[in-house]
PDB file of all heavy atoms in Angstrom:
ATOM      1  N   LEU A 229     286.272 102.978 -41.493  1.00 95.00           N
ATOM      2  CA  LEU A 229     287.323 102.138 -42.063  1.00 95.00           C
ATOM      3  C   LEU A 229     288.348 102.967 -42.831  1.00 95.00           C
ATOM      4  O   LEU A 229     289.548 102.695 -42.774  1.00 95.00           O
ATOM      5  CB  LEU A 229     286.717 101.064 -42.957  1.00 95.00           C
ATOM      6  CG  LEU A 229     285.983  99.938 -42.223  1.00 95.00           C
ATOM      7  CD1 LEU A 229     285.315  99.001 -43.221  1.00 95.00           C
ATOM      8  CD2 LEU A 229     286.926  99.171 -41.314  1.00 95.00           C
ATOM      9  N   ALA A 230     287.884 103.975 -43.540  1.00 97.00           N
ATOM     10  CA  ALA A 230     288.800 104.847 -44.278  1.00 97.00           C
ATOM     11  C   ALA A 230     289.701 105.615 -43.310  1.00 97.00           C
ATOM     12  O   ALA A 230     290.902 105.776 -43.554  1.00 97.00           O
ATOM     13  CB  ALA A 230     288.024 105.812 -45.167  1.00 97.00           C
ATOM     14  N   ALA A 231     289.144 106.080 -42.209  1.00 97.00           N
ATOM     15  CA  ALA A 231     289.941 106.790 -41.206  1.00 97.00           C
ATOM     16  C   ALA A 231     290.972 105.856 -40.585  1.00 97.00           C
ATOM     17  O   ALA A 231     292.133 106.230 -40.393  1.00 97.00           O
ATOM     18  CB  ALA A 231     289.023 107.374 -40.125  1.00 97.00           C
ATOM     19  N   GLU A 232     290.561 104.635 -40.279  1.00 98.00           N
ATOM     20  CA  GLU A 232     291.498 103.662 -39.718  1.00 98.00           C
ATOM     21  C   GLU A 232     292.596 103.325 -40.725  1.00 98.00           C
ATOM     22  O   GLU A 232     293.766 103.215 -40.365  1.00 98.00           O
ATOM     23  CB  GLU A 232     290.754 102.393 -39.306  1.00 98.00           C
ATOM     24  CG  GLU A 232     291.635 101.397 -38.588  1.00 98.00           C
ATOM     25  CD  GLU A 232     290.863 100.220 -38.035  1.00 98.00           C
ATOM     26  OE1 GLU A 232     289.630 100.287 -37.929  1.00 98.00           O
ATOM     27  OE2 GLU A 232     291.522  99.227 -37.707  1.00 98.00           O
ATOM     28  N   ALA A 233     292.228 103.187 -41.988  1.00 98.00           N
ATOM     29  CA  ALA A 233     293.225 102.910 -43.026  1.00 98.00           C
ATOM     30  C   ALA A 233     294.212 104.068 -43.145  1.00 98.00           C
ATOM     31  O   ALA A 233     295.416 103.842 -43.325  1.00 98.00           O
ATOM     32  CB  ALA A 233     292.531 102.662 -44.363  1.00 98.00           C
ATOM     33  N   ALA A 234     293.739 105.289 -43.022  1.00 98.00           N
ATOM     34  CA  ALA A 234     294.626 106.449 -43.096  1.00 98.00           C
ATOM     35  C   ALA A 234     295.607 106.454 -41.929  1.00 98.00           C
ATOM     36  O   ALA A 234     296.795 106.735 -42.104  1.00 98.00           O
ATOM     37  CB  ALA A 234     293.805 107.743 -43.112  1.00 98.00           C
ATOM     38  N   VAL A 235     295.120 106.136 -40.735  1.00 98.00           N
ATOM     39  CA  VAL A 235     295.996 106.082 -39.559  1.00 98.00           C
ATOM     40  C   VAL A 235     297.046 104.992 -39.744  1.00 98.00           C
ATOM     41  O   VAL A 235     298.239 105.206 -39.490  1.00 98.00           O
ATOM     42  CB  VAL A 235     295.166 105.835 -38.273  1.00 98.00           C
ATOM     43  CG1 VAL A 235     296.067 105.482 -37.098  1.00 98.00           C
ATOM     44  CG2 VAL A 235     294.315 107.052 -37.952  1.00 98.00           C
ATOM     45  N   LEU A 236     296.611 103.818 -40.199  1.00 98.00           N
ATOM     46  CA  LEU A 236     297.555 102.720 -40.404  1.00 98.00           C
ATOM     47  C   LEU A 236     298.567 103.041 -41.496  1.00 98.00           C
ATOM     48  O   LEU A 236     299.750 102.707 -41.376  1.00 98.00           O
ATOM     49  CB  LEU A 236     296.797 101.430 -40.729  1.00 98.00           C
ATOM     50  CG  LEU A 236     295.974 100.862 -39.577  1.00 98.00           C
ATOM     51  CD1 LEU A 236     295.165  99.656 -40.051  1.00 98.00           C
ATOM     52  CD2 LEU A 236     296.844 100.493 -38.398  1.00 98.00           C
ATOM     53  N   THR A 237     298.125 103.721 -42.538  1.00 98.00           N
ATOM     54  CA  THR A 237     299.034 104.115 -43.613  1.00 98.00           C
ATOM     55  C   THR A 237     300.091 105.070 -43.084  1.00 98.00           C
ATOM     56  O   THR A 237     301.278 104.942 -43.407  1.00 98.00           O
ATOM     57  CB  THR A 237     298.244 104.769 -44.770  1.00 98.00           C
ATOM     58  OG1 THR A 237     297.317 103.799 -45.282  1.00 98.00           O
ATOM     59  CG2 THR A 237     299.158 105.232 -45.881  1.00 98.00           C
ATOM     60  N   ASP A 238     299.685 106.020 -42.246  1.00 98.00           N
ATOM     61  CA  ASP A 238     300.652 106.948 -41.650  1.00 98.00           C
ATOM     62  C   ASP A 238     301.636 106.219 -40.743  1.00 98.00           C
ATOM     63  O   ASP A 238     302.830 106.524 -40.744  1.00 98.00           O
ATOM     64  CB  ASP A 238     299.932 108.043 -40.864  1.00 98.00           C
ATOM     65  CG  ASP A 238     299.278 109.073 -41.761  1.00 98.00           C
ATOM     66  OD1 ASP A 238     299.637 109.148 -42.957  1.00 98.00           O
ATOM     67  OD2 ASP A 238     298.392 109.809 -41.265  1.00 98.00           O
ATOM     68  N   ARG A 239     301.133 105.244 -39.987  1.00 98.00           N
ATOM     69  CA  ARG A 239     302.026 104.485 -39.102  1.00 98.00           C
ATOM     70  C   ARG A 239     303.027 103.674 -39.918  1.00 98.00           C
ATOM     71  O   ARG A 239     304.198 103.594 -39.558  1.00 98.00           O
ATOM     72  CB  ARG A 239     301.208 103.575 -38.187  1.00 98.00           C
ATOM     73  CG  ARG A 239     300.414 104.373 -37.157  1.00 98.00           C
ATOM     74  CD  ARG A 239     299.531 103.504 -36.335  1.00 98.00           C
ATOM     75  NE  ARG A 239     300.299 102.862 -35.279  1.00 98.00           N
ATOM     76  CZ  ARG A 239     299.784 101.985 -34.431  1.00 98.00           C
ATOM     77  NH1 ARG A 239     298.523 101.630 -34.524  1.00 98.00           N
ATOM     78  NH2 ARG A 239     300.533 101.454 -33.496  1.00 98.00           N
ATOM     79  N   VAL A 240     302.572 103.083 -41.000  1.00 98.00           N
ATOM     80  CA  VAL A 240     303.475 102.320 -41.862  1.00 98.00           C
ATOM     81  C   VAL A 240     304.523 103.251 -42.463  1.00 98.00           C
ATOM     82  O   VAL A 240     305.710 102.917 -42.515  1.00 98.00           O
ATOM     83  CB  VAL A 240     302.696 101.565 -42.961  1.00 98.00           C
ATOM     84  CG1 VAL A 240     303.626 101.027 -44.032  1.00 98.00           C
ATOM     85  CG2 VAL A 240     301.875 100.440 -42.347  1.00 98.00           C
ATOM     86  N   ARG A 241     304.116 104.420 -42.903  1.00 98.00           N
ATOM     87  CA  ARG A 241     305.051 105.395 -43.464  1.00 98.00           C
ATOM     88  C   ARG A 241     306.102 105.786 -42.425  1.00 98.00           C
ATOM     89  O   ARG A 241     307.296 105.845 -42.713  1.00 98.00           O
ATOM     90  CB  ARG A 241     304.285 106.631 -43.947  1.00 98.00           C
ATOM     91  CG  ARG A 241     305.128 107.630 -44.718  1.00 98.00           C
ATOM     92  CD  ARG A 241     304.300 108.791 -45.261  1.00 98.00           C
ATOM     93  NE  ARG A 241     303.293 108.321 -46.198  1.00 98.00           N
ATOM     94  CZ  ARG A 241     301.973 108.463 -46.042  1.00 98.00           C
ATOM     95  NH1 ARG A 241     301.491 109.092 -44.995  1.00 98.00           N
ATOM     96  NH2 ARG A 241     301.137 108.005 -46.942  1.00 98.00           N
ATOM     97  N   LEU A 242     305.656 106.023 -41.190  1.00 98.00           N
ATOM     98  CA  LEU A 242     306.567 106.368 -40.104  1.00 98.00           C
ATOM     99  C   LEU A 242     307.539 105.221 -39.832  1.00 98.00           C
ATOM    100  O   LEU A 242     308.752 105.435 -39.702  1.00 98.00           O
ATOM    101  CB  LEU A 242     305.784 106.702 -38.838  1.00 98.00           C
ATOM    102  CG  LEU A 242     306.604 106.968 -37.576  1.00 98.00           C
ATOM    103  CD1 LEU A 242     307.433 108.237 -37.737  1.00 98.00           C
ATOM    104  CD2 LEU A 242     305.691 107.071 -36.371  1.00 98.00           C
ATOM    105  N   LEU A 243     307.028 104.002 -39.765  1.00 98.00           N
ATOM    106  CA  LEU A 243     307.881 102.848 -39.507  1.00 98.00           C
ATOM    107  C   LEU A 243     308.878 102.619 -40.631  1.00 98.00           C
ATOM    108  O   LEU A 243     310.036 102.260 -40.381  1.00 98.00           O
ATOM    109  CB  LEU A 243     307.028 101.599 -39.286  1.00 98.00           C
ATOM    110  CG  LEU A 243     306.238 101.578 -37.974  1.00 98.00           C
ATOM    111  CD1 LEU A 243     305.275 100.396 -37.958  1.00 98.00           C
ATOM    112  CD2 LEU A 243     307.166 101.526 -36.776  1.00 98.00           C
ATOM    113  N   ARG A 244     308.465 102.835 -41.859  1.00 98.00           N
ATOM    114  CA  ARG A 244     309.399 102.704 -42.987  1.00 98.00           C
ATOM    115  C   ARG A 244     310.518 103.729 -42.886  1.00 98.00           C
ATOM    116  O   ARG A 244     311.677 103.434 -43.161  1.00 98.00           O
ATOM    117  CB  ARG A 244     308.658 102.858 -44.315  1.00 98.00           C
ATOM    118  CG  ARG A 244     307.877 101.639 -44.709  1.00 98.00           C
ATOM    119  CD  ARG A 244     307.219 101.827 -46.059  1.00 98.00           C
ATOM    120  NE  ARG A 244     306.535 100.619 -46.458  1.00 98.00           N
ATOM    121  CZ  ARG A 244     305.634 100.565 -47.415  1.00 98.00           C
ATOM    122  NH1 ARG A 244     305.313 101.664 -48.095  1.00 98.00           N
ATOM    123  NH2 ARG A 244     305.055  99.425 -47.730  1.00 98.00           N
ATOM    124  N   GLY A 245     310.171 104.950 -42.490  1.00 98.00           N
ATOM    125  CA  GLY A 245     311.193 105.983 -42.303  1.00 98.00           C
ATOM    126  C   GLY A 245     312.165 105.612 -41.199  1.00 98.00           C
ATOM    127  O   GLY A 245     313.378 105.776 -41.344  1.00 98.00           O
ATOM    128  N   GLN A 246     311.630 105.093 -40.091  1.00 98.00           N
ATOM    129  CA  GLN A 246     312.498 104.676 -38.992  1.00 98.00           C
ATOM    130  C   GLN A 246     313.384 103.509 -39.424  1.00 98.00           C
ATOM    131  O   GLN A 246     314.570 103.460 -39.071  1.00 98.00           O
ATOM    132  CB  GLN A 246     311.661 104.283 -37.784  1.00 98.00           C
ATOM    133  CG  GLN A 246     310.985 105.466 -37.118  1.00 98.00           C
ATOM    134  CD  GLN A 246     310.047 105.044 -36.007  1.00 98.00           C
ATOM    135  OE1 GLN A 246     309.597 103.899 -35.936  1.00 98.00           O
ATOM    136  NE2 GLN A 246     309.728 105.980 -35.129  1.00 98.00           N
ATOM    137  N   LEU A 247     312.824 102.576 -40.171  1.00 98.00           N
ATOM    138  CA  LEU A 247     313.604 101.441 -40.653  1.00 98.00           C
ATOM    139  C   LEU A 247     314.721 101.908 -41.583  1.00 98.00           C
ATOM    140  O   LEU A 247     315.849 101.413 -41.497  1.00 98.00           O
ATOM    141  CB  LEU A 247     312.698 100.443 -41.382  1.00 98.00           C
ATOM    142  CG  LEU A 247     313.359  99.191 -41.942  1.00 98.00           C
ATOM    143  CD1 LEU A 247     314.043  98.396 -40.841  1.00 98.00           C
ATOM    144  CD2 LEU A 247     312.342  98.343 -42.667  1.00 98.00           C
ATOM    145  N   ALA A 248     314.438 102.875 -42.421  1.00 97.00           N
ATOM    146  CA  ALA A 248     315.466 103.412 -43.314  1.00 97.00           C
ATOM    147  C   ALA A 248     316.584 104.064 -42.508  1.00 97.00           C
ATOM    148  O   ALA A 248     317.764 103.888 -42.815  1.00 97.00           O
ATOM    149  CB  ALA A 248     314.852 104.410 -44.291  1.00 97.00           C
ATOM    150  N   GLU A 249     316.227 104.802 -41.456  1.00 98.00           N
ATOM    151  CA  GLU A 249     317.229 105.433 -40.599  1.00 98.00           C
ATOM    152  C   GLU A 249     318.090 104.385 -39.900  1.00 98.00           C
ATOM    153  O   GLU A 249     319.312 104.524 -39.819  1.00 98.00           O
ATOM    154  CB  GLU A 249     316.555 106.329 -39.557  1.00 98.00           C
ATOM    155  CG  GLU A 249     315.924 107.583 -40.138  1.00 98.00           C
ATOM    156  CD  GLU A 249     315.148 108.371 -39.096  1.00 98.00           C
ATOM    157  OE1 GLU A 249     315.276 108.076 -37.876  1.00 98.00           O
ATOM    158  OE2 GLU A 249     314.409 109.277 -39.494  1.00 98.00           O
ATOM    159  N   VAL A 250     317.465 103.339 -39.397  1.00 97.00           N
ATOM    160  CA  VAL A 250     318.208 102.272 -38.729  1.00 97.00           C
ATOM    161  C   VAL A 250     319.128 101.571 -39.718  1.00 97.00           C
ATOM    162  O   VAL A 250     320.282 101.269 -39.403  1.00 97.00           O
ATOM    163  CB  VAL A 250     317.237 101.262 -38.063  1.00 97.00           C
ATOM    164  CG1 VAL A 250     317.965 100.007 -37.605  1.00 97.00           C
ATOM    165  CG2 VAL A 250     316.529 101.918 -36.888  1.00 97.00           C
ATOM    166  N   SER A 251     318.650 101.346 -40.922  1.00 97.00           N
ATOM    167  CA  SER A 251     319.460 100.693 -41.948  1.00 97.00           C
ATOM    168  C   SER A 251     320.700 101.523 -42.258  1.00 97.00           C
ATOM    169  O   SER A 251     321.806 100.979 -42.372  1.00 97.00           O
ATOM    170  CB  SER A 251     318.629 100.484 -43.210  1.00 97.00           C
ATOM    171  OG  SER A 251     319.387  99.866 -44.209  1.00 97.00           O
ATOM    172  N   VAL A 252     320.533 102.826 -42.378  1.00 97.00           N
ATOM    173  CA  VAL A 252     321.671 103.709 -42.639  1.00 97.00           C
ATOM    174  C   VAL A 252     322.656 103.645 -41.477  1.00 97.00           C
ATOM    175  O   VAL A 252     323.874 103.568 -41.682  1.00 97.00           O
ATOM    176  CB  VAL A 252     321.196 105.158 -42.882  1.00 97.00           C
ATOM    177  CG1 VAL A 252     322.357 106.141 -42.852  1.00 97.00           C
ATOM    178  CG2 VAL A 252     320.457 105.245 -44.203  1.00 97.00           C
ATOM    179  N   ARG A 253     322.146 103.643 -40.258  1.00 97.00           N
ATOM    180  CA  ARG A 253     323.026 103.578 -39.088  1.00 97.00           C
ATOM    181  C   ARG A 253     323.775 102.251 -39.031  1.00 97.00           C
ATOM    182  O   ARG A 253     324.956 102.206 -38.673  1.00 97.00           O
ATOM    183  CB  ARG A 253     322.220 103.801 -37.809  1.00 97.00           C
ATOM    184  CG  ARG A 253     321.728 105.246 -37.690  1.00 97.00           C
ATOM    185  CD  ARG A 253     320.835 105.459 -36.512  1.00 97.00           C
ATOM    186  NE  ARG A 253     321.561 105.227 -35.276  1.00 97.00           N
ATOM    187  CZ  ARG A 253     320.976 105.172 -34.079  1.00 97.00           C
ATOM    188  NH1 ARG A 253     319.675 105.338 -33.978  1.00 97.00           N
ATOM    189  NH2 ARG A 253     321.683 104.959 -33.004  1.00 97.00           N
ATOM    190  N   ILE A 254     323.111 101.170 -39.378  1.00 97.00           N
ATOM    191  CA  ILE A 254     323.763  99.861 -39.398  1.00 97.00           C
ATOM    192  C   ILE A 254     324.870  99.845 -40.446  1.00 97.00           C
ATOM    193  O   ILE A 254     325.985  99.372 -40.187  1.00 97.00           O
ATOM    194  CB  ILE A 254     322.742  98.737 -39.653  1.00 97.00           C
ATOM    195  CG1 ILE A 254     321.857  98.540 -38.425  1.00 97.00           C
ATOM    196  CG2 ILE A 254     323.441  97.431 -40.028  1.00 97.00           C
ATOM    197  CD1 ILE A 254     320.680  97.626 -38.649  1.00 97.00           C
ATOM    198  N   GLU A 255     324.576 100.358 -41.630  1.00 96.00           N
ATOM    199  CA  GLU A 255     325.585 100.401 -42.689  1.00 96.00           C
ATOM    200  C   GLU A 255     326.778 101.260 -42.278  1.00 96.00           C
ATOM    201  O   GLU A 255     327.935 100.892 -42.516  1.00 96.00           O
ATOM    202  CB  GLU A 255     324.973 100.916 -43.985  1.00 96.00           C
ATOM    203  CG  GLU A 255     324.011  99.942 -44.629  1.00 96.00           C
ATOM    204  CD  GLU A 255     323.292 100.512 -45.845  1.00 96.00           C
ATOM    205  OE1 GLU A 255     323.668 101.614 -46.295  1.00 96.00           O
ATOM    206  OE2 GLU A 255     322.361  99.859 -46.323  1.00 96.00           O
ATOM    207  N   GLU A 256     326.505 102.393 -41.649  1.00 96.00           N
ATOM    208  CA  GLU A 256     327.580 103.277 -41.192  1.00 96.00           C
ATOM    209  C   GLU A 256     328.425 102.588 -40.119  1.00 96.00           C
ATOM    210  O   GLU A 256     329.655 102.661 -40.132  1.00 96.00           O
ATOM    211  CB  GLU A 256     326.994 104.589 -40.652  1.00 96.00           C
ATOM    212  CG  GLU A 256     328.006 105.553 -40.089  1.00 96.00           C
ATOM    213  CD  GLU A 256     328.951 106.129 -41.130  1.00 96.00           C
ATOM    214  OE1 GLU A 256     328.649 106.054 -42.342  1.00 96.00           O
ATOM    215  OE2 GLU A 256     329.996 106.649 -40.733  1.00 96.00           O
ATOM    216  N   THR A 257     327.772 101.919 -39.184  1.00 96.00           N
ATOM    217  CA  THR A 257     328.501 101.205 -38.138  1.00 96.00           C
ATOM    218  C   THR A 257     329.345 100.092 -38.736  1.00 96.00           C
ATOM    219  O   THR A 257     330.507  99.911 -38.347  1.00 96.00           O
ATOM    220  CB  THR A 257     327.512 100.634 -37.097  1.00 96.00           C
ATOM    221  OG1 THR A 257     326.767 101.712 -36.526  1.00 96.00           O
ATOM    222  CG2 THR A 257     328.239  99.881 -35.999  1.00 96.00           C
ATOM    223  N   ALA A 258     328.793  99.350 -39.673  1.00 95.00           N
ATOM    224  CA  ALA A 258     329.551  98.278 -40.325  1.00 95.00           C
ATOM    225  C   ALA A 258     330.771  98.842 -41.053  1.00 95.00           C
ATOM    226  O   ALA A 258     331.860  98.277 -40.991  1.00 95.00           O
ATOM    227  CB  ALA A 258     328.652  97.513 -41.294  1.00 95.00           C
ATOM    228  N   ARG A 259     330.579  99.970 -41.727  1.00 95.00           N
ATOM    229  CA  ARG A 259     331.693 100.603 -42.434  1.00 95.00           C
ATOM    230  C   ARG A 259     332.782 101.004 -41.450  1.00 95.00           C
ATOM    231  O   ARG A 259     333.964 100.754 -41.675  1.00 95.00           O
ATOM    232  CB  ARG A 259     331.207 101.825 -43.213  1.00 95.00           C
ATOM    233  CG  ARG A 259     332.304 102.484 -44.070  1.00 95.00           C
ATOM    234  CD  ARG A 259     331.867 103.807 -44.665  1.00 95.00           C
ATOM    235  NE  ARG A 259     331.513 104.803 -43.660  1.00 95.00           N
ATOM    236  CZ  ARG A 259     332.386 105.495 -42.917  1.00 95.00           C
ATOM    237  NH1 ARG A 259     333.669 105.281 -43.044  1.00 95.00           N
ATOM    238  NH2 ARG A 259     331.976 106.390 -42.048  1.00 95.00           N
ATOM    239  N   ARG A 260     332.380 101.596 -40.332  1.00 94.00           N
ATOM    240  CA  ARG A 260     333.359 102.029 -39.338  1.00 94.00           C
ATOM    241  C   ARG A 260     334.063 100.840 -38.692  1.00 94.00           C
ATOM    242  O   ARG A 260     335.262 100.899 -38.418  1.00 94.00           O
ATOM    243  CB  ARG A 260     332.679 102.884 -38.284  1.00 94.00           C
ATOM    244  CG  ARG A 260     332.233 104.227 -38.863  1.00 94.00           C
ATOM    245  CD  ARG A 260     331.194 104.874 -38.019  1.00 94.00           C
ATOM    246  NE  ARG A 260     331.759 105.820 -37.084  1.00 94.00           N
ATOM    247  CZ  ARG A 260     331.054 106.393 -36.122  1.00 94.00           C
ATOM    248  NH1 ARG A 260     329.792 106.085 -35.958  1.00 94.00           N
ATOM    249  NH2 ARG A 260     331.605 107.264 -35.316  1.00 94.00           N
ATOM    250  N   LEU A 261     333.344  99.769 -38.464  1.00 93.00           N
ATOM    251  CA  LEU A 261     333.964  98.572 -37.882  1.00 93.00           C
ATOM    252  C   LEU A 261     334.986  97.982 -38.838  1.00 93.00           C
ATOM    253  O   LEU A 261     336.034  97.485 -38.408  1.00 93.00           O
ATOM    254  CB  LEU A 261     332.898  97.531 -37.533  1.00 93.00           C
ATOM    255  CG  LEU A 261     332.059  97.818 -36.293  1.00 93.00           C
ATOM    256  CD1 LEU A 261     330.937  96.792 -36.166  1.00 93.00           C
ATOM    257  CD2 LEU A 261     332.920  97.824 -35.045  1.00 93.00           C
ATOM    258  N   ASN A 262     334.691  98.021 -40.116  1.00 92.00           N
ATOM    259  CA  ASN A 262     335.630  97.493 -41.107  1.00 92.00           C
ATOM    260  C   ASN A 262     336.900  98.335 -41.180  1.00 92.00           C
ATOM    261  O   ASN A 262     337.944  97.845 -41.617  1.00 92.00           O
ATOM    262  CB  ASN A 262     334.988  97.414 -42.482  1.00 92.00           C
ATOM    263  CG  ASN A 262     334.006  96.279 -42.588  1.00 92.00           C
ATOM    264  OD1 ASN A 262     334.127  95.275 -41.903  1.00 92.00           O
ATOM    265  ND2 ASN A 262     333.017  96.439 -43.450  1.00 92.00           N
TER     266      ASN A 262
END
């Protein structure tokens, strides 16, 4: 269970990083569209 929790924690960390990157890209695109 601890190993599975570690894997899931890493996946969540990765997804949060990807979400942050997408958010920055969306904000940049919105700025450029404006």
